Amino acid sequence: MSFKRIRKYINSLEVTDGKNFNLEKFDTDYDHKMLTKEQGESLLKEGIAQMSELQDKLYAHNQYSVLIVIQAMDAAGKDGAIKHVMSGLNPQGVKVSSFKTPSSTELDHDYFWRHYQAVPARGEIGIFNRSHYENVLVTRVYPEFILNENLPGIETIADITPAFWNMRMEQINRFEKNLHENGTIIMKFMLHVSRKEQKKRLLERIDDPAKNWKFSIGDLKARADWDKYMAAYQEMIASTSQPHAPWFIIPADDKWFARLSIAAIIHNQFEKLQLTYPKPNKGQLEDLRKAKEMLMGEKDKTQKTKKDPVK
């Protein structure tokens, strides 16, 4: 099996131009799956092994870095997706950063400051579990949070006009354009879960003692503002979808299918780079020849020597 089997479908999830974007046209559950759950899990396992090789080439190539952004409503499966999709990769080359409510120190800087510090180095993969997009999602639904940033000209909520949000979207586009021009491959995923499925998962967190720690009463506040969040996602994706930093709208009602889709997309984007292992130059080839000659000429120190007979 191969990820190519679902390539046509995952291509339909990509948004590179938000001009005609409509979030309501994207399914939260793909009803006509071309795979069974068992086939999908087997394909994911196979694909992760392939991704491991591509990660190795990314590190050896040392020109590109990869930034994966994951945004979603609560209980959409962000943590599980990261755990399963990245399970076969070298942890030394993967850094996961989770961004929660900014600290007082972070609020004393511009909102990109803490994200810049987590941007992956060349050869590495960085994952933002929530990201700079919280600054046009949560703050869009609850604009009073903007007042904590102590921005010039923003004294009251009334000062936060549509022009302010347009400016923020442009700032984000410039931020990502700068990363792209310096060798960062950007993939942004929205795990698109239905309100019905979210309710089911929140109830599971309440009923299952092993999942109680995942539940927060704040999840219900965000759920009550579901329509506001969907409007914020609509505006955000429409304003920040670019060919160099596309959004992928992942149907997330079935966790296994969401994980498979994410892995297939990452694999597909990796392949576009056509990464290869660096070829040694003439000087390096000569060093390799000399090193081999020296190693082959060494005596095996582990070989036992015959002791003189006892007289």
Side-chain angles (χ1 to χ4, degrees):
M1 289 194 292
S2 168
F3 278 145
K4 292 180 180 179
R5 186 172 177 181
I6 61 171
R7 182 164 291 176
K8 184 177 180 180
Y9 175 71
I10 63 173
N11 286 342
S12 72
L13 306 178
E14 184 176 14
V15 184
T16 58
D17 183 354
K19 188 179 296 183
N20 298 312
F21 173 73
N22 186 347
L23 182 58
E24 293 182 353
K25 292 184 178 180
F26 286 81
D27 293 328
T28 60
D29 181 26
Y30 185 60
D31 293 330
H32 306 288
K33 299 181 180 68
M34 65 290 293
L35 299 166
T36 64
K37 181 178 180 180
E38 290 72 23
Q39 289 174 324
E41 290 176 343
S42 176
L43 180 55
L44 177 60
K45 185 176 180 180
E46 178 185 328
I48 288 172
Q50 295 172 10
M51 285 170 58
S52 179
E53 181 180 350
L54 290 171
Q55 181 200 15
D56 195 46
K57 290 180 180 178
L58 176 76
Y59 182 81
H61 198 269
N62 200 37
Q63 285 190 350
Y64 296 103
S65 59
V66 174
L67 176 60
I68 297 169
V69 172
I70 301 180
Q71 292 287 157
M73 296 294 285
D74 296 309
K78 298 185 300 298
D79 294 340
I82 293 169
K83 177 181 177 181
H84 285 79
V85 174
M86 300 297 160
S87 61
L89 302 186
N90 185 340
Q92 289 184 315
V94 180
K95 180 181 180 182
V96 180
S97 301
S98 298
F99 298 99
K100 301 184 184 297
T101 303
S103 66
S104 58
T105 300
E106 290 167 340
L107 286 170
D108 280 337
H109 296 78
D110 71 85
Y111 66 93
F112 289 113
W113 180 73
R114 61 177 180 164
H115 303 289
Y116 260 122
Q117 296 181 84
V119 168
R122 301 188 194 282
E124 294 181 347
I125 299 172
I127 302 171
F128 284 3
N129 184 356
R130 300 191 187 275
S131 67
H132 45 291
Y133 282 102
E134 293 293 285
N135 296 279
V136 289
L137 282 173
V138 176
T139 55
R140 192 74 181 263
V141 178
Y142 309 112
E144 60 270 21
F145 292 157
I146 292 293
L147 302 180
N148 296 331
E149 297 182 30
N150 200 29
L151 296 170
I154 305 294
E155 302 292 337
T156 68
I157 291 178
D159 297 322
I160 307 171
T161 64
F164 172 84
W165 296 115
N166 291 336
M167 177 185 69
R168 283 237 149 153
M169 301 297 185
E170 285 304 312
Q171 289 170 346
I172 288 174
N173 285 332
R174 289 199 302 268
F175 170 69
E176 293 178 350
K177 182 71 171 178
N178 180 55
L179 293 179
H180 168 75
E181 289 176 347
N182 284 278
T184 300
I185 308 305
I186 303 171
M187 290 171 259
K188 302 178 295 192
F189 297 93
M190 178 205 175
L191 302 192
H192 193 24
V193 69
S194 67
R195 201 165 189 270
K196 179 181 178 181
E197 180 63 22
Q198 189 202 48
K199 178 181 179 179
K200 174 186 172 185
R201 294 180 188 178
L202 290 176
L203 287 171
E204 287 175 353
R205 291 181 176 185
I206 294 171
D207 294 336
D208 185 349
K211 295 182 179 181
N212 287 170
W213 65 274
K214 292 184 177 182
F215 182 78
S216 168
I217 197 67
D219 297 344
L220 298 185
K221 181 181 179 182
R223 179 174 170 80
D225 290 315
W226 184 276
D227 291 342
K228 291 181 181 179
Y229 268 104
M230 291 303 104
Y233 270 108
Q234 167 65 36
E235 180 66 22
M236 178 193 79
I237 295 170
S239 301
T240 61
S241 293
Q242 305 288 339
H244 61 270
W247 276 101
F248 296 90
I249 316 303
I250 306 297
D253 280 1
D254 277 342
K255 292 180 181 179
W256 71 268
F257 193 72
R259 294 163 184 168
L260 177 63
S261 299
I262 292 170
I265 289 166
I266 295 172
H267 184 272
N268 192 36
Q269 297 299 97
F270 261 122
E271 283 196 324
K272 289 180 182 179
L273 296 177
Q274 297 183 326
L275 296 173
T276 57
Y277 290 109
K279 293 183 179 180
N281 57 37
K282 288 184 179 180
Q284 291 169 329
L285 286 172
E286 179 62 17
D287 287 342
L288 291 171
R289 185 193 66 78
K290 289 179 179 179
K292 182 176 181 179
E293 189 175 272
M294 291 171 64
L295 289 169
M296 295 298 290
E298 284 184 358
K299 292 182 179 179
D300 188 355
K301 294 181 180 180
T302 62
Q303 185 177 357
K304 293 181 179 180
T305 56
K306 293 183 179 179
K307 293 182 180 180
D308 292 334
V310 178
K311 295 182 179 179

